[in-house]
Amino acid sequence: MQNVHKTPAVAATARKTRDLDTDLLIVPVFEHDDLSDEPDLDRAAGGAYAAARQRGEFGGKLFEQLLIPLTGGTVKASRALLIGAGPRGDVTTERLRRIASAGALAARQRRLASVSLLWRPVDGVATAPAAQALAEGAVLANYEGITYKTEGPGVAWLERVELRVGQVDDGIVERGRILGECTNMARALSNEPGNVLTPRAFAERASTLAKEAGLDVELLDEKQIADLKMGLLLGVARGSDQPPRVIVLRHRPKNARSGIVLGLVGKGITFDTGGISIKPAENMDKMKDDMSGGAAVIGAMIALARLEAPIACIGIVPATENMPGGRAMKPGDVLTSAEGKTVEVLNTDAEGRLILGDALWYARQMGVTHLIDVATLTGACVVALGKTTSGLFGRPAAWVEAVRRASDRAGDRSWPMPIFDDYKELLKSEIADFTNTGGRAGGAISAALFIKEFVGDLPWVHIDIAGTAWAEEAKPYQPKGATGVGVRTLAELALDVDAWSNL
Ligand code: BES
Ligand code: MN
Ligand code: ZN
């Protein structure tokens, strides 16, 4: 496997545009923008921008691009990429992140290694979050999805990113850089084929990355999992020749907020065939990304360690394949969870909730006070919210809202869904405590209610990323494939402990 991402050096600067010594100036340009705040640029371009505007070649529409040579001799850089930012009043941090990504990607396509991104202040966006978003966006662009081609052009990486944001705290730029890097790590894990990223390989890779970042790592093997009586995880793992693992990562800083231990649990199905209730062949290959929730937890934990977040945090990723082997669990089988609850398996393709059940119980045994789980859990969530928005389920409402706000800052959109008790009868079983499937109607909600059975009385949020974990199409700001959704949401939430510590 080749390197699939590289984190550039990122620094803030307060220098004037004309003094930026770079391969490419990346300039966000709004609609109806006369660039009057950048007189150097205008002059050096020799009127090229005004002419393009007049001709209707470039009007500042979102992600529109115009490369102009800077030959006027008044600036150090030799060219500028104008990138459409849409109406000035619509600019948000998320839009800045995407603009930075699109601009940085365009630089890489031209094999330019150093860029300067200009921040042109707009109402409603403070400089610090803008700097963080620009850093994230630029780092996110330094990602390549293709790793197993034996031929093809060598990859050009961005080496140096300068953010012309004026005076900001270096910490905020570093925060953006690390969150971008950890998102790329999660993308790289999710894009790996299932034959490469087996549960054992996933655990080893996570362990190496986590140790480098200074996290405590514990990997539970099949024997330890059996000793803990995790019957739901073992039930799913039975159909595979690959043994399961549980990845446990701990961040325990000395200055941690007392009385709080955040528990992050991520679904780690390294390949989901559906098991005996097997999936159709079409698109089954996509199910190599069914460990994206686990990757998000691993990425977020690494970010927290690197940023020395002042909060104790435990990340737990149950990892297994879901295969239809000769010893596989069958529809109608009854499994007993580590907590002692019994489950009638009506559909072996509803495996995510099973492994999460045991992992959430385990998180509680470890003493967590607040729970979040992230999972590519249901096709029903994709039907409900589409491919751009993750579903949020949980209680109390204030905890759900804390997660929603974090996701908003992170640029991972999410929206709350109901978990009314009325839906619980969908999981009624004749012979066990409940079934693992509630049928098609309200399928994302009955899945969440199943998970709720394993979270005790703790504040808990379940994030269903089935629609958001994988991009079917490349966008100007995002490659096709794994998105790394969830990493920044979880990290932002943990970093903002002040906002929810008295929940
Ligand atoms: N991993 C899938 C969910 C999924 C579907 C993710 C599509 C991404 C895209 C999950 O394990 C699954 O198979 N869920 C079933 C549940 C059903 C059998 C109750 C589903 O959604 O169809
Ligand atoms: Mn499944
Ligand atoms: Zn699955």
Side-chain angles (χ1 to χ4, degrees), residues 50-59 64:
R53 238 180 115 191
Q54 203 134 50
R55 274 199 308 280
E57 182 184 347
F58 181 90
E64 219 178 356

Side-chain angles (χ1 to χ4, degrees), residues 337-356:
S337 74
E339 190 169 4
K341 296 189 177 184
T342 57
V343 179
E344 183 185 10
V345 177
L346 290 185
N347 188 320
T348 65
D349 199 9
E351 85 297 341
R353 65 198 74 180
L354 294 173
I355 69 170
L356 289 170

Side-chain angles (χ1 to χ4, degrees), residues 49 78 81 128 182 220 234 243 246-247 288 311 347 364 375 440 453 465 483:
Y49 169 62
S78 60
L81 178 74
C182 292
L220 307 184
L234 287 170
V246 177
I247 304 164
K288 68 179 183 179
I311 175 175
N347 188 320
R364 283 191 287 135
R440 286 168 62 85
E453 292 291 333
I465 58 168
T483 60

Side-chain angles (χ1 to χ4, degrees), residues 16-20 22-30 33-51 58 66-83 116-120 164:
K16 292 210 163 63
T17 302
R18 72 170 90 104
D19 297 325
L20 298 172
T22 178
D23 294 340
L24 185 68
L25 288 176
I26 298 174
V27 187
V29 174
F30 311 108
D33 189 338
D34 58 9
L35 277 178
S36 56
D37 54 331
E38 291 287 349
D40 290 342
L41 202 63
D42 228 12
R43 213 169 305 134
Y49 169 62
F58 181 90
L66 181 69
L67 186 72
I68 50 176
L70 301 175
T71 50
T74 47
V75 303
K76 279 198 172 142
S78 60
R79 67 205 112 185
L81 178 74
L82 307 188
I83 176 151
S116 295
L117 277 154
L118 302 195
W119 158 233
R120 302 175 60 216
R164 208 286 307 278

Side-chain angles (χ1 to χ4, degrees), residues 267 269 272 279 287 290 322 349 351-352 376-377:
K267 173 177 173 181
I269 296 289
D272 182 12
K279 289 180 182 293
M287 285 297 129
D290 212 18
N322 185 25
D349 199 9
E351 85 297 341
T376 45
L377 205 68

Side-chain angles (χ1 to χ4, degrees), residues 87-119:
R88 205 181 253 272
D90 291 359
V91 173
T92 58
T93 51
E94 171 56 359
R95 203 163 262 196
L96 289 174
R97 189 183 287 108
R98 292 179 179 192
I99 288 166
S101 229
L105 208 56
R108 286 187 56 212
Q109 279 154 358
R110 295 181 165 85
R111 308 189 82 77
L112 302 174
S114 109
V115 299
S116 295
L117 277 154
L118 302 195
W119 158 233

Side-chain angles (χ1 to χ4, degrees), residues 297-329:
V297 165
I298 291 161
M301 290 297 298
I302 291 173
L304 295 180
R306 302 254 309 265
L307 292 167
E308 298 175 11
I311 175 175
C313 198
I314 302 182
I316 296 178
V317 179
T320 176
E321 291 184 330
N322 185 25
M323 297 283 283
R327 295 180 337 151
M329 63 176 178

